[in-house]
PDB file of all heavy atoms in Angstrom:
ATOM      1  N   ASN A1157      18.900 -64.666  10.179  1.00  0.00           N
ATOM      2  CA  ASN A1157      19.252 -63.576   9.259  1.00  0.00           C
ATOM      3  C   ASN A1157      19.774 -62.362  10.015  1.00  0.00           C
ATOM      4  O   ASN A1157      19.720 -61.250   9.508  1.00  0.00           O
ATOM      5  CB  ASN A1157      18.049 -63.192   8.400  1.00  0.00           C
ATOM      6  CG  ASN A1157      16.959 -62.505   9.198  1.00  0.00           C
ATOM      7  OD1 ASN A1157      16.955 -62.513  10.429  1.00  0.00           O
ATOM      8  ND2 ASN A1157      16.007 -61.911   8.501  1.00  0.00           N
ATOM      9  N   TYR A1158      20.290 -62.559  11.217  1.00  0.00           N
ATOM     10  CA  TYR A1158      20.767 -61.432  12.024  1.00  0.00           C
ATOM     11  C   TYR A1158      21.901 -60.671  11.349  1.00  0.00           C
ATOM     12  O   TYR A1158      22.111 -59.501  11.620  1.00  0.00           O
ATOM     13  CB  TYR A1158      21.217 -61.899  13.411  1.00  0.00           C
ATOM     14  CG  TYR A1158      20.074 -62.467  14.227  1.00  0.00           C
ATOM     15  CD1 TYR A1158      20.166 -63.719  14.802  1.00  0.00           C
ATOM     16  CD2 TYR A1158      18.906 -61.748  14.425  1.00  0.00           C
ATOM     17  CE1 TYR A1158      19.118 -64.239  15.550  1.00  0.00           C
ATOM     18  CE2 TYR A1158      17.858 -62.261  15.169  1.00  0.00           C
ATOM     19  CZ  TYR A1158      17.969 -63.506  15.728  1.00  0.00           C
ATOM     20  OH  TYR A1158      16.933 -64.013  16.454  1.00  0.00           O
ATOM     21  N   ALA A1163      17.247 -56.427   7.314  1.00  0.00           N
ATOM     22  CA  ALA A1163      16.223 -57.475   7.423  1.00  0.00           C
ATOM     23  C   ALA A1163      15.595 -57.468   8.812  1.00  0.00           C
ATOM     24  O   ALA A1163      16.252 -57.158   9.797  1.00  0.00           O
ATOM     25  CB  ALA A1163      16.836 -58.840   7.143  1.00  0.00           C
ATOM     26  N   GLU A1164      14.337 -57.813   8.880  1.00  0.00           N
ATOM     27  CA  GLU A1164      13.662 -57.996  10.167  1.00  0.00           C
ATOM     28  C   GLU A1164      14.234 -59.282  10.772  1.00  0.00           C
ATOM     29  O   GLU A1164      14.253 -60.316  10.111  1.00  0.00           O
ATOM     30  CB  GLU A1164      12.154 -58.131   9.939  1.00  0.00           C
ATOM     31  CG  GLU A1164      11.322 -58.096  11.177  1.00  0.00           C
ATOM     32  CD  GLU A1164      11.250 -56.715  11.818  1.00  0.00           C
ATOM     33  OE1 GLU A1164      11.052 -55.724  11.111  1.00  0.00           O
ATOM     34  OE2 GLU A1164      11.398 -56.652  13.049  1.00  0.00           O
ATOM     35  N   PRO A1165      14.750 -59.254  12.001  1.00  0.00           N
ATOM     36  CA  PRO A1165      15.389 -60.446  12.576  1.00  0.00           C
ATOM     37  C   PRO A1165      14.456 -61.660  12.582  1.00  0.00           C
ATOM     38  O   PRO A1165      13.267 -61.534  12.878  1.00  0.00           O
ATOM     39  CB  PRO A1165      15.718 -60.026  14.005  1.00  0.00           C
ATOM     40  CG  PRO A1165      15.717 -58.540  13.990  1.00  0.00           C
ATOM     41  CD  PRO A1165      14.750 -58.129  12.926  1.00  0.00           C
ATOM     42  N   ALA A1166      15.008 -62.801  12.230  1.00  0.00           N
ATOM     43  CA  ALA A1166      14.239 -64.039  12.229  1.00  0.00           C
ATOM     44  C   ALA A1166      15.179 -65.220  12.427  1.00  0.00           C
ATOM     45  O   ALA A1166      16.341 -65.174  12.026  1.00  0.00           O
ATOM     46  CB  ALA A1166      13.472 -64.193  10.927  1.00  0.00           C
ATOM     47  N   THR A1167      14.646 -66.258  13.054  1.00  0.00           N
ATOM     48  CA  THR A1167      15.386 -67.495  13.254  1.00  0.00           C
ATOM     49  C   THR A1167      14.476 -68.661  12.889  1.00  0.00           C
ATOM     50  O   THR A1167      13.289 -68.649  13.201  1.00  0.00           O
ATOM     51  CB  THR A1167      15.827 -67.649  14.721  1.00  0.00           C
ATOM     52  OG1 THR A1167      16.627 -66.521  15.075  1.00  0.00           O
ATOM     53  CG2 THR A1167      16.641 -68.904  14.935  1.00  0.00           C
ATOM     54  N   GLY A1219       2.425 -67.838  19.142  1.00  0.00           N
ATOM     55  CA  GLY A1219       2.101 -66.848  20.159  1.00  0.00           C
ATOM     56  C   GLY A1219       3.340 -66.129  20.643  1.00  0.00           C
ATOM     57  O   GLY A1219       4.471 -66.508  20.327  1.00  0.00           O
ATOM     58  N   GLU A1220       3.103 -65.085  21.415  1.00  0.00           N
ATOM     59  CA  GLU A1220       4.210 -64.343  21.997  1.00  0.00           C
ATOM     60  C   GLU A1220       4.680 -65.060  23.255  1.00  0.00           C
ATOM     61  O   GLU A1220       3.877 -65.583  24.023  1.00  0.00           O
ATOM     62  CB  GLU A1220       3.789 -62.914  22.291  1.00  0.00           C
ATOM     63  CG  GLU A1220       3.542 -62.136  21.004  1.00  0.00           C
ATOM     64  CD  GLU A1220       3.318 -60.658  21.224  1.00  0.00           C
ATOM     65  OE1 GLU A1220       3.117 -60.239  22.378  1.00  0.00           O
ATOM     66  OE2 GLU A1220       3.347 -59.934  20.222  1.00  0.00           O
ATOM     67  N   ALA A1221       5.989 -65.091  23.448  1.00  0.00           N
ATOM     68  CA  ALA A1221       6.571 -65.771  24.606  1.00  0.00           C
ATOM     69  C   ALA A1221       7.994 -65.267  24.805  1.00  0.00           C
ATOM     70  O   ALA A1221       8.581 -64.647  23.925  1.00  0.00           O
ATOM     71  CB  ALA A1221       6.582 -67.285  24.390  1.00  0.00           C
ATOM     72  N   ALA A1222       8.532 -65.548  25.967  1.00  0.00           N
ATOM     73  CA  ALA A1222       9.940 -65.275  26.255  1.00  0.00           C
ATOM     74  C   ALA A1222      10.665 -66.607  26.121  1.00  0.00           C
ATOM     75  O   ALA A1222      10.862 -67.331  27.083  1.00  0.00           O
ATOM     76  CB  ALA A1222      10.105 -64.680  27.647  1.00  0.00           C
ATOM     77  N   GLU A1225      15.143 -67.400  22.065  1.00  0.00           N
ATOM     78  CA  GLU A1225      15.694 -66.257  21.330  1.00  0.00           C
ATOM     79  C   GLU A1225      15.353 -64.938  22.013  1.00  0.00           C
ATOM     80  O   GLU A1225      15.667 -63.878  21.488  1.00  0.00           O
ATOM     81  CB  GLU A1225      15.156 -66.237  19.898  1.00  0.00           C
ATOM     82  CG  GLU A1225      15.533 -67.447  19.072  1.00  0.00           C
ATOM     83  CD  GLU A1225      17.014 -67.516  18.763  1.00  0.00           C
ATOM     84  OE1 GLU A1225      17.649 -66.458  18.588  1.00  0.00           O
ATOM     85  OE2 GLU A1225      17.540 -68.632  18.699  1.00  0.00           O
ATOM     86  N   GLY A1226      14.677 -65.006  23.160  1.00  0.00           N
ATOM     87  CA  GLY A1226      14.238 -63.801  23.865  1.00  0.00           C
ATOM     88  C   GLY A1226      12.746 -63.592  23.685  1.00  0.00           C
ATOM     89  O   GLY A1226      12.042 -64.441  23.139  1.00  0.00           O
ATOM     90  N   LYS A1227      12.273 -62.454  24.126  1.00  0.00           N
ATOM     91  CA  LYS A1227      10.850 -62.155  24.016  1.00  0.00           C
ATOM     92  C   LYS A1227      10.521 -61.848  22.561  1.00  0.00           C
ATOM     93  O   LYS A1227      11.203 -61.064  21.906  1.00  0.00           O
ATOM     94  CB  LYS A1227      10.493 -60.963  24.900  1.00  0.00           C
ATOM     95  CG  LYS A1227       9.010 -60.700  24.989  1.00  0.00           C
ATOM     96  CD  LYS A1227       8.719 -59.695  26.094  1.00  0.00           C
ATOM     97  CE  LYS A1227       7.287 -59.256  26.129  1.00  0.00           C
ATOM     98  NZ  LYS A1227       6.288 -60.254  26.232  1.00  0.00           N
ATOM     99  N   GLY A1228       9.481 -62.498  22.056  1.00  0.00           N
ATOM    100  CA  GLY A1228       9.091 -62.294  20.673  1.00  0.00           C
ATOM    101  C   GLY A1228       7.944 -63.194  20.291  1.00  0.00           C
ATOM    102  O   GLY A1228       7.242 -63.738  21.144  1.00  0.00           O
ATOM    103  N   TYR A1229       7.768 -63.382  19.010  1.00  0.00           N
ATOM    104  CA  TYR A1229       6.668 -64.182  18.471  1.00  0.00           C
ATOM    105  C   TYR A1229       7.242 -65.496  17.946  1.00  0.00           C
ATOM    106  O   TYR A1229       8.166 -65.498  17.130  1.00  0.00           O
ATOM    107  CB  TYR A1229       5.980 -63.407  17.345  1.00  0.00           C
ATOM    108  CG  TYR A1229       4.686 -64.021  16.897  1.00  0.00           C
ATOM    109  CD1 TYR A1229       3.541 -63.899  17.670  1.00  0.00           C
ATOM    110  CD2 TYR A1229       4.598 -64.720  15.703  1.00  0.00           C
ATOM    111  CE1 TYR A1229       2.335 -64.457  17.257  1.00  0.00           C
ATOM    112  CE2 TYR A1229       3.407 -65.275  15.284  1.00  0.00           C
ATOM    113  CZ  TYR A1229       2.286 -65.139  16.073  1.00  0.00           C
ATOM    114  OH  TYR A1229       1.089 -65.691  15.660  1.00  0.00           O
ATOM    115  N   TYR A1230       6.692 -66.599  18.414  1.00  0.00           N
ATOM    116  CA  TYR A1230       7.169 -67.931  18.043  1.00  0.00           C
ATOM    117  C   TYR A1230       6.083 -68.699  17.311  1.00  0.00           C
ATOM    118  O   TYR A1230       4.904 -68.584  17.644  1.00  0.00           O
ATOM    119  CB  TYR A1230       7.574 -68.719  19.288  1.00  0.00           C
ATOM    120  CG  TYR A1230       8.830 -68.195  19.936  1.00  0.00           C
ATOM    121  CD1 TYR A1230       8.783 -67.165  20.864  1.00  0.00           C
ATOM    122  CD2 TYR A1230      10.074 -68.722  19.607  1.00  0.00           C
ATOM    123  CE1 TYR A1230       9.938 -66.678  21.457  1.00  0.00           C
ATOM    124  CE2 TYR A1230      11.231 -68.242  20.196  1.00  0.00           C
ATOM    125  CZ  TYR A1230      11.158 -67.228  21.112  1.00  0.00           C
ATOM    126  OH  TYR A1230      12.307 -66.744  21.687  1.00  0.00           O
ATOM    127  N   VAL A1231       6.491 -69.485  16.345  1.00  0.00           N
ATOM    128  CA  VAL A1231       5.601 -70.398  15.639  1.00  0.00           C
ATOM    129  C   VAL A1231       6.257 -71.769  15.724  1.00  0.00           C
ATOM    130  O   VAL A1231       7.406 -71.942  15.306  1.00  0.00           O
ATOM    131  CB  VAL A1231       5.415 -69.999  14.158  1.00  0.00           C
ATOM    132  CG1 VAL A1231       4.515 -71.002  13.444  1.00  0.00           C
ATOM    133  CG2 VAL A1231       4.855 -68.594  14.052  1.00  0.00           C
ATOM    134  N   ILE A1246       9.980 -71.159  14.488  1.00  0.00           N
ATOM    135  CA  ILE A1246      10.269 -69.864  13.875  1.00  0.00           C
ATOM    136  C   ILE A1246      10.217 -68.807  14.971  1.00  0.00           C
ATOM    137  O   ILE A1246       9.329 -68.838  15.819  1.00  0.00           O
ATOM    138  CB  ILE A1246       9.228 -69.513  12.794  1.00  0.00           C
ATOM    139  CG1 ILE A1246       9.295 -70.512  11.641  1.00  0.00           C
ATOM    140  CG2 ILE A1246       9.429 -68.080  12.287  1.00  0.00           C
ATOM    141  CD1 ILE A1246       8.166 -70.362  10.641  1.00  0.00           C
ATOM    142  N   PHE A1247      11.162 -67.876  14.936  1.00  0.00           N
ATOM    143  CA  PHE A1247      11.154 -66.745  15.861  1.00  0.00           C
ATOM    144  C   PHE A1247      11.237 -65.450  15.065  1.00  0.00           C
ATOM    145  O   PHE A1247      12.049 -65.321  14.150  1.00  0.00           O
ATOM    146  CB  PHE A1247      12.340 -66.797  16.827  1.00  0.00           C
ATOM    147  CG  PHE A1247      12.557 -65.499  17.557  1.00  0.00           C
ATOM    148  CD1 PHE A1247      11.774 -65.163  18.648  1.00  0.00           C
ATOM    149  CD2 PHE A1247      13.522 -64.594  17.131  1.00  0.00           C
ATOM    150  CE1 PHE A1247      11.950 -63.943  19.303  1.00  0.00           C
ATOM    151  CE2 PHE A1247      13.705 -63.382  17.779  1.00  0.00           C
ATOM    152  CZ  PHE A1247      12.920 -63.052  18.872  1.00  0.00           C
ATOM    153  N   THR A1248      10.385 -64.486  15.418  1.00  0.00           N
ATOM    154  CA  THR A1248      10.492 -63.114  14.939  1.00  0.00           C
ATOM    155  C   THR A1248      10.281 -62.212  16.151  1.00  0.00           C
ATOM    156  O   THR A1248       9.719 -62.646  17.148  1.00  0.00           O
ATOM    157  CB  THR A1248       9.449 -62.778  13.841  1.00  0.00           C
ATOM    158  OG1 THR A1248       8.139 -62.960  14.366  1.00  0.00           O
ATOM    159  CG2 THR A1248       9.641 -63.638  12.606  1.00  0.00           C
ATOM    160  N   PRO A1249      10.709 -60.962  16.096  1.00  0.00           N
ATOM    161  CA  PRO A1249      10.608 -60.109  17.278  1.00  0.00           C
ATOM    162  C   PRO A1249       9.176 -59.742  17.673  1.00  0.00           C
ATOM    163  O   PRO A1249       8.931 -59.345  18.807  1.00  0.00           O
ATOM    164  CB  PRO A1249      11.410 -58.864  16.917  1.00  0.00           C
ATOM    165  CG  PRO A1249      11.537 -58.880  15.445  1.00  0.00           C
ATOM    166  CD  PRO A1249      11.427 -60.297  15.011  1.00  0.00           C
ATOM    167  N   SER A1250       8.219 -59.870  16.755  1.00  0.00           N
ATOM    168  CA  SER A1250       6.840 -59.512  17.090  1.00  0.00           C
ATOM    169  C   SER A1250       5.877 -60.213  16.142  1.00  0.00           C
ATOM    170  O   SER A1250       6.261 -60.667  15.057  1.00  0.00           O
ATOM    171  CB  SER A1250       6.643 -58.006  16.979  1.00  0.00           C
ATOM    172  OG  SER A1250       6.737 -57.606  15.621  1.00  0.00           O
ATOM    173  N   ALA A1251       4.612 -60.269  16.549  1.00  0.00           N
ATOM    174  CA  ALA A1251       3.575 -60.826  15.687  1.00  0.00           C
ATOM    175  C   ALA A1251       3.474 -60.005  14.401  1.00  0.00           C
ATOM    176  O   ALA A1251       3.267 -60.548  13.315  1.00  0.00           O
ATOM    177  CB  ALA A1251       2.239 -60.857  16.421  1.00  0.00           C
ATOM    178  N   LYS A1252       3.641 -58.690  14.519  1.00  0.00           N
ATOM    179  CA  LYS A1252       3.578 -57.812  13.348  1.00  0.00           C
ATOM    180  C   LYS A1252       4.673 -58.180  12.346  1.00  0.00           C
ATOM    181  O   LYS A1252       4.424 -58.265  11.142  1.00  0.00           O
ATOM    182  CB  LYS A1252       3.706 -56.356  13.770  1.00  0.00           C
ATOM    183  CG  LYS A1252       3.623 -55.387  12.621  1.00  0.00           C
ATOM    184  CD  LYS A1252       3.768 -53.952  13.084  1.00  0.00           C
ATOM    185  CE  LYS A1252       3.741 -53.011  11.887  1.00  0.00           C
ATOM    186  NZ  LYS A1252       3.940 -51.627  12.280  1.00  0.00           N
ATOM    187  N   ALA A1253       5.885 -58.413  12.842  1.00  0.00           N
ATOM    188  CA  ALA A1253       6.998 -58.790  11.961  1.00  0.00           C
ATOM    189  C   ALA A1253       6.703 -60.114  11.261  1.00  0.00           C
ATOM    190  O   ALA A1253       6.999 -60.276  10.086  1.00  0.00           O
ATOM    191  CB  ALA A1253       8.294 -58.885  12.754  1.00  0.00           C
ATOM    192  N   TYR A1254       6.097 -61.048  11.979  1.00  0.00           N
ATOM    193  CA  TYR A1254       5.734 -62.342  11.383  1.00  0.00           C
ATOM    194  C   TYR A1254       4.670 -62.149  10.303  1.00  0.00           C
ATOM    195  O   TYR A1254       4.781 -62.683   9.215  1.00  0.00           O
ATOM    196  CB  TYR A1254       5.246 -63.307  12.465  1.00  0.00           C
ATOM    197  CG  TYR A1254       4.825 -64.643  11.915  1.00  0.00           C
ATOM    198  CD1 TYR A1254       5.774 -65.602  11.577  1.00  0.00           C
ATOM    199  CD2 TYR A1254       3.487 -64.957  11.712  1.00  0.00           C
ATOM    200  CE1 TYR A1254       5.398 -66.821  11.059  1.00  0.00           C
ATOM    201  CE2 TYR A1254       3.100 -66.179  11.202  1.00  0.00           C
ATOM    202  CZ  TYR A1254       4.062 -67.110  10.880  1.00  0.00           C
ATOM    203  OH  TYR A1254       3.687 -68.319  10.354  1.00  0.00           O
ATOM    204  N   ARG A1255       3.643 -61.376  10.622  1.00  0.00           N
ATOM    205  CA  ARG A1255       2.536 -61.181   9.682  1.00  0.00           C
ATOM    206  C   ARG A1255       2.975 -60.449   8.415  1.00  0.00           C
ATOM    207  O   ARG A1255       2.411 -60.672   7.345  1.00  0.00           O
ATOM    208  CB  ARG A1255       1.397 -60.434  10.360  1.00  0.00           C
ATOM    209  CG  ARG A1255       0.640 -61.321  11.315  1.00  0.00           C
ATOM    210  CD  ARG A1255      -0.614 -60.647  11.850  1.00  0.00           C
ATOM    211  NE  ARG A1255      -1.085 -61.391  12.993  1.00  0.00           N
ATOM    212  CZ  ARG A1255      -0.940 -61.000  14.258  1.00  0.00           C
ATOM    213  NH1 ARG A1255      -0.338 -59.863  14.538  1.00  0.00           N
ATOM    214  NH2 ARG A1255      -1.375 -61.743  15.243  1.00  0.00           N
ATOM    215  N   LEU A1256       3.983 -59.584   8.521  1.00  0.00           N
ATOM    216  CA  LEU A1256       4.472 -58.879   7.338  1.00  0.00           C
ATOM    217  C   LEU A1256       5.020 -59.850   6.298  1.00  0.00           C
ATOM    218  O   LEU A1256       5.005 -59.568   5.104  1.00  0.00           O
ATOM    219  CB  LEU A1256       5.549 -57.853   7.719  1.00  0.00           C
ATOM    220  CG  LEU A1256       5.042 -56.601   8.423  1.00  0.00           C
ATOM    221  CD1 LEU A1256       6.214 -55.736   8.888  1.00  0.00           C
ATOM    222  CD2 LEU A1256       4.112 -55.801   7.519  1.00  0.00           C
ATOM    223  N   GLN A1257       5.516 -60.984   6.762  1.00  0.00           N
ATOM    224  CA  GLN A1257       6.057 -61.988   5.847  1.00  0.00           C
ATOM    225  C   GLN A1257       5.300 -63.302   5.962  1.00  0.00           C
ATOM    226  O   GLN A1257       5.823 -64.371   5.709  1.00  0.00           O
ATOM    227  CB  GLN A1257       7.540 -62.203   6.128  1.00  0.00           C
ATOM    228  CG  GLN A1257       8.353 -60.961   5.879  1.00  0.00           C
ATOM    229  CD  GLN A1257       9.828 -61.168   6.150  1.00  0.00           C
ATOM    230  OE1 GLN A1257      10.242 -62.160   6.716  1.00  0.00           O
ATOM    231  NE2 GLN A1257      10.630 -60.222   5.747  1.00  0.00           N
ATOM    232  N   TRP A1261       6.417 -67.224   5.165  1.00  0.00           N
ATOM    233  CA  TRP A1261       6.569 -68.205   6.247  1.00  0.00           C
ATOM    234  C   TRP A1261       5.639 -69.398   6.039  1.00  0.00           C
ATOM    235  O   TRP A1261       6.043 -70.544   6.220  1.00  0.00           O
ATOM    236  CB  TRP A1261       6.313 -67.558   7.603  1.00  0.00           C
ATOM    237  CG  TRP A1261       7.425 -66.701   8.092  1.00  0.00           C
ATOM    238  CD1 TRP A1261       7.361 -65.361   8.365  1.00  0.00           C
ATOM    239  CD2 TRP A1261       8.775 -67.091   8.376  1.00  0.00           C
ATOM    240  NE1 TRP A1261       8.588 -64.905   8.798  1.00  0.00           N
ATOM    241  CE2 TRP A1261       9.473 -65.951   8.812  1.00  0.00           C
ATOM    242  CE3 TRP A1261       9.461 -68.297   8.302  1.00  0.00           C
ATOM    243  CZ2 TRP A1261      10.809 -65.966   9.172  1.00  0.00           C
ATOM    244  CZ3 TRP A1261      10.806 -68.318   8.660  1.00  0.00           C
ATOM    245  CH2 TRP A1261      11.457 -67.168   9.084  1.00  0.00           C
TER     246      TRP A1261
END
Side-chain angles (χ1 to χ4, degrees):
N1157 70 347
Y1158 296 127
E1164 190 71 45
T1167 302
E1220 292 188 348
E1225 298 292 326
K1227 188 168 173 55
Y1229 191 75
Y1230 290 86
V1231 178
I1246 296 171
F1247 166 79
T1248 60
S1250 68
K1252 181 181 178 183
Y1254 179 79
R1255 286 188 195 104
L1256 287 174
Q1257 297 180 349
W1261 284 119

